[in-house]
Amino acid sequence: MIPSYKKKANLALGLGFVGILVAALWDRVIDPVEATDPVQVNWPAMGLQTIGVVVFAVGCAWYMLAKGRSRWWGLLGVFGLLGLLVLACFPDRRKNFTGDDKELQGVFE
């Protein structure tokens, strides 16, 4: 794996996962919506969850870049941990990467 991309992937995946968990906690514990009112929506929790999913998908894109694949595979990140599990099954094309990250500029961008 390419170290600089792996670092970015780990950070984005962690932040996205925490955002999704905080949104679920907010929706269930902090500000629960009555189940009898189908129109009422917990907008702050929904917004935080949306941001968390987007950041998680970006983390999956960085993860695939670190493996030497197209960033578009990162779209599987919208399926959460199941998508990440699928991405983890891809073989690493940059397994023995020892070069400088500067030689990759523009290759995956």
Side-chain angles (χ1 to χ4, degrees):
M1 282 193 162
I2 302 169
S4 64
Y5 291 160
K6 184 178 177 183
K7 222 182 273 187
K8 292 175 184 178
N10 289 338
L11 180 64
L13 286 169
L15 288 175
F17 190 70
V18 167
I20 293 168
L21 288 179
V22 169
L25 179 70
W26 186 322
D27 191 37
R28 302 285 186 240
V29 177
I30 297 173
D31 189 19
V33 175
E34 290 293 325
T36 57
D37 189 5
V39 179
Q40 190 175 7
V41 177
N42 193 341
W43 291 108
M46 184 181 287
L48 186 58
Q49 185 174 14
T50 303
I51 291 169
V53 168
V54 168
V55 171
F56 191 82
V58 168
C60 287
W62 280 112
Y63 179 66
M64 292 311 290
L65 284 174
K67 284 189 155 200
R69 303 281 179 164
S70 171
R71 78 173 74 214
W72 293 105
W73 284 108
L75 289 176
L76 288 175
V78 299
F79 296 112
L81 293 177
L82 180 64
L84 183 60
L85 180 65
V86 169
L87 296 179
C89 293
F90 278 74
D92 190 358
R93 289 184 177 172
R94 299 289 180 182
K95 191 171 203 156
N96 299 323
F97 180 78
T98 56
D100 188 16
D101 290 347
K102 291 183 176 143
E103 74 182 49
L104 295 171
Q105 287 181 346
V107 174
F108 299 113
E109 310 289 315

